[in-house]
């Protein structure tokens, strides 16, 4: 039997992934990526194997780094206008 917490975390990740913004709005895309990172953190808490937990946390951290860069670029573009 699959742990209900794992099932919930996987459903959350699938749900968030399905909400990917369709237009080119950088802010919406960055917000969505942040939600993906949060879902990966939730998943990392319930995965059985340490290697899988580490991988999920690393991916979440990489996403947050990417989002921070996107937000910085967006802010500099606005300030240049």
């Amino acid at each position: 039997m699959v742990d209900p917490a794992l099932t919930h975390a996987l459903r959350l990740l699938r749900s968030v992934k399905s909400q990917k913004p369709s237009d080119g709005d950088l802010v919406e895309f960055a917000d969505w990526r942040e939600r993906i990172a949060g879902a990966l953190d939730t998943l990392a808490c319930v995965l059985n194997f340490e290697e899988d937990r580490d991988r999920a946390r690393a991916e979440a951290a990489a996403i947050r780094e990417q989002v921070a860069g996107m937000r910085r670029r967006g802010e500099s573009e606005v300030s240049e206008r």
Side-chain angles (χ1 to χ4, degrees), residues 21-34:
S22 58
D23 63 0
D25 186 318
L26 181 64
V27 173
E28 281 185 33
F29 184 75
D31 290 345
W32 172 74
R33 292 293 286 166
E34 291 254 3

Side-chain angles (χ1 to χ4, degrees), residues 2-4 11-12 15-16 23 25 29-31 35 47-48 55 60 64 66 70-72 77 81:
V2 176
D3 180 355
R11 284 187 180 145
L12 174 64
S15 173
V16 172
D23 63 0
D25 186 318
F29 184 75
D31 290 345
R35 290 192 309 272
L47 289 168
N48 292 328
R55 190 176 310 135
R64 287 191 174 99
Q66 176 192 42
M70 290 179 354
R71 291 189 193 283
R72 280 191 300 274
E77 289 175 11
R81 291 180 191 167

Side-chain angles (χ1 to χ4, degrees), residues 10-54:
L10 289 169
R11 284 187 180 145
L12 174 64
L13 182 59
R14 275 193 298 269
S15 173
V16 172
K17 282 186 172 188
S18 73
Q19 297 169 13
K20 182 177 180 180
S22 58
D23 63 0
D25 186 318
L26 181 64
V27 173
E28 281 185 33
F29 184 75
D31 290 345
W32 172 74
R33 292 293 286 166
E34 291 254 3
R35 290 192 309 272
I36 292 286
L40 285 167
D41 284 336
T42 299
L43 181 60
C45 292
V46 297
L47 289 168
N48 292 328
F49 300 105
E50 185 175 350
E51 181 179 315
D52 294 336
R53 291 189 299 267
D54 291 345

